[in-house]
Amino acid sequence: MQVLVILKRANKMSSNIDKEIQILVNKYNYGDFNSVLKKCSKLLEIYPKNDFLWNLSGLSFQRIGNIKNSITSFQNAISINSNNHSAKNNLAISYKSNKEFSKAENLLVSLIKENPNYVNALVNFANMKNETYFFDEAISTYEKVLKIEKNLPELHLNISNILQAKNQMDEAKNHLHKAIEINEFFTLADQNLSMLLDYSDESNNDHIDKMINKLKNPNLNNNDLINLHFALGKAYEDKKDYENSFKHFESGNKAKDKNSKFSLKYFKNLAKDLKSFFLNLDISKIKQHSNKGGNKIFILGLPRSGTTLLEKIISSHSEVNSVSEIGYFYDLINKNIFSENSIDNNKINSLLYQDLDKKYDELLKFYNVKNKYIIDKTLTNF
């Protein structure tokens, strides 16, 4: 759960612009982000000092994955109105998405210092600590939020995920039960709980019955159907009822296909561009460094090839920590090489001269990895 805030307006506006903004908020809530951006752009030509419009633009850029433009939009909102806390909170989220953790933390800490009960900033601060493996600090912050606002099932899910990483399974289950108590249709908690329960034990049949009853609700969205069907598939598999297990896994996959945006044409074109690029790559241009990265262990490979098992074996050593699938180089290459889904040679030339060793080491400082050797298991690093 990350908290985005858009509904507070600091500026007093005419009734006309107020109506326009309400329409934009409705479009944003319906997920029509490109329409919001087009309209915001036009309105900002008339009202360039409207910090709410800049904040809304930033949020829309965030939702379509354009983090660079979201940062610019939020910064514009803050320069116009330094008291726009929602824009600061949203800017911190963009910085975190960009793995600029220092900037994100500075913003969130300042917001929390100004208002210790600012739930949005507290949740996003906890999320960042969770992402960077400072689990104890993340849990204590989540618990602080729950004392302020009890009805946030997502926080119990987040706490449960941390407890699972710490092998505290009974406590992890308890938090998932709490999440479902708050919102019985928070189906992501059902799916997570299904992975922790052994349904061959008949005492867990009650959870199966509850999930089957939830499937009868006509208001379930597609993601809810995916979560429940996969959870039930696992449950029936535990019970060795493979016919029902297959039925639910099949239904879950069909529902998941509806969310898929896979394009074979895109990947064919990408493959051609990559082949062309590497065939013509001048290796001598790549910035060379001394061998100072000897404490990094990169695990590469295709999914389902045993990489997780290998990570667990190596990280069991007392001198090894893992940042798991940190995705740093994958993100860096996407931002610096691809332009409009094709390779941009000018961006490549710029990337080749960067000191990636230094950038990577700076990033790792924000992760709670204190051992001598560090594993990065981002499969796409190859």
Side-chain angles (χ1 to χ4, degrees):
M1 174 192 180
Q2 63 181 18
V3 182
L4 308 174
V5 184
I6 67 170
L7 294 179
K8 285 190 176 181
R9 294 205 279 275
N11 288 353
K12 291 183 179 179
M13 293 166 281
S14 70
S15 59
N16 287 339
I17 182 64
D18 208 46
K19 289 176 183 177
E20 292 272 19
I21 283 180
Q22 190 54 58
I23 293 171
L24 285 174
V25 170
N26 291 338
K27 285 187 176 183
Y28 177 89
N29 290 333
Y30 278 111
D32 192 0
F33 307 120
N34 287 315
S35 292
V36 173
L37 286 168
K38 287 179 183 177
K39 187 63 176 178
C40 277
S41 179
K42 291 179 180 178
L43 288 173
L44 283 167
E45 291 177 5
I46 306 169
Y47 305 98
K49 296 295 184 182
N50 188 298
D51 59 307
F52 181 83
L53 285 173
W54 281 115
N55 191 28
L56 187 56
S57 293
L59 285 165
S60 298
F61 278 125
Q62 263 185 355
R63 296 302 293 271
I64 65 172
N66 191 333
I67 300 302
K68 181 180 179 181
N69 282 352
S70 77
I71 289 173
T72 301
S73 296
F74 294 135
Q75 287 173 335
N76 287 340
I78 295 165
S79 68
I80 294 164
N81 178 10
S82 60
N83 292 318
N84 192 328
H85 293 163
S86 65
K88 290 180 180 179
N89 176 66
N90 296 331
L91 176 59
I93 293 172
S94 286
Y95 281 144
K96 182 173 78 71
S97 297
N98 234 15
K99 291 185 167 57
E100 297 180 76
F101 295 121
S102 179
K103 292 179 179 179
E105 183 164 352
N106 289 339
L107 267 175
L108 293 171
V109 168
S110 67
L111 286 169
I112 294 167
K113 186 175 181 180
E114 189 173 340
N115 180 1
N117 293 326
Y118 186 14
V119 167
N120 301 331
L122 285 166
V123 170
N124 289 321
F125 179 81
N127 289 344
M128 185 172 67
K129 291 301 177 183
N130 186 2
E131 184 177 327
T132 52
Y133 308 128
F134 289 90
F135 292 143
D136 291 338
E137 194 170 355
I139 287 178
S140 65
T141 308
Y142 285 135
E143 289 175 341
K144 180 178 180 179
V145 176
L146 287 169
K147 289 178 182 177
I148 302 168
E149 174 54 72
K150 295 180 180 180
N151 296 320
L152 294 174
E154 297 89 350
L155 301 195
H156 287 290
L157 177 68
N158 291 351
I159 294 171
S160 175
N161 289 336
I162 294 173
L163 292 171
Q164 289 176 56
K166 299 176 74 170
N167 203 31
Q168 297 175 13
M169 297 305 178
D170 288 338
E171 291 180 55
K173 292 176 194 175
N174 289 337
H175 278 280
L176 291 173
H177 283 300
K178 288 177 183 178
I180 296 168
E181 285 173 17
I182 293 170
N183 179 1
E184 66 172 314
F185 289 104
F186 184 52
T187 59
L188 191 55
D190 285 301
Q191 188 185 3
N192 279 29
L193 184 60
S194 74
M195 302 308 294
L196 302 182
L197 295 179
D198 179 3
Y199 294 94
S200 63
D201 182 346
E202 291 188 2
S203 65
N204 292 319
N205 281 354
D206 180 55
H207 187 228
I208 295 177
D209 294 337
K210 287 179 178 177
M211 290 193 289
I212 290 172
N213 284 330
K214 290 177 189 181
L215 278 175
K216 297 175 184 176
N217 188 307
N219 297 319
L220 290 178
N221 63 39
N222 202 52
N223 287 329
D224 291 328
L225 292 173
I226 294 168
N227 295 334
L228 290 172
H229 280 303
F230 283 151
L232 285 164
K234 191 270 182 184
Y236 283 115
E237 185 177 32
D238 285 353
K239 295 173 74 66
K240 294 185 170 33
D241 182 348
Y242 299 118
E243 184 177 349
N244 273 318
S245 176
F246 182 85
K247 180 181 75 174
H248 284 289
F249 281 135
E250 184 179 40
S251 296
N253 279 309
K254 284 180 179 177
K256 196 169 184 179
D257 281 344
K258 293 179 181 178
N259 291 349
S260 175
K261 296 180 179 177
F262 178 81
S263 168
L264 183 60
K265 181 180 178 181
Y266 164 76
F267 282 102
K268 282 184 175 180
N269 290 335
L270 180 61
K272 289 178 182 177
D273 284 345
L274 287 170
K275 288 176 184 178
S276 174
F277 166 66
F278 280 106
L279 284 171
N280 296 289
L281 177 64
D282 184 354
I283 299 293
S284 65
K285 287 185 178 180
I286 297 176
K287 191 172 179 63
Q288 301 292 318
H289 305 283
S290 60
N291 185 20
K292 59 183 179 181
N295 66 326
K296 312 297 190 309
I297 302 169
F298 293 95
I299 297 177
L300 316 175
L302 295 174
R304 317 308 302 166
S305 61
T307 53
T308 300
L309 177 60
L310 184 59
E311 177 192 28
K312 287 181 178 179
I313 292 170
I314 299 173
S315 61
S316 67
H317 194 284
S318 60
E319 293 187 2
V320 179
N321 270 137
S322 175
V323 291
S324 195
E325 299 189 40
I326 192 173
Y328 173 71
F329 293 110
Y330 179 82
D331 292 340
L332 188 71
I333 289 169
N334 273 313
K335 289 170 188 171
N336 287 277
I337 289 185
F338 299 113
S339 178
E340 299 298 325
N341 295 332
S342 62
I343 289 180
D344 186 327
N345 287 316
N346 291 326
K347 289 185 177 181
I348 293 174
N349 290 330
S350 173
L351 179 66
L352 293 180
Y353 286 101
Q354 294 182 29
D355 190 341
L356 298 184
D357 289 346
K358 182 178 179 181
K359 285 191 169 190
Y360 190 60
D361 284 337
E362 287 295 320
L363 174 69
L364 291 179
K365 288 178 183 178
F366 291 97
Y367 284 80
N368 189 20
V369 283
K370 307 302 182 187
N371 288 339
K372 182 176 180 181
Y373 299 98
I374 299 171
I375 295 174
D376 183 335
K377 193 187 82 77
T378 307
L379 303 186
T380 47
N381 275 341
F382 70 80

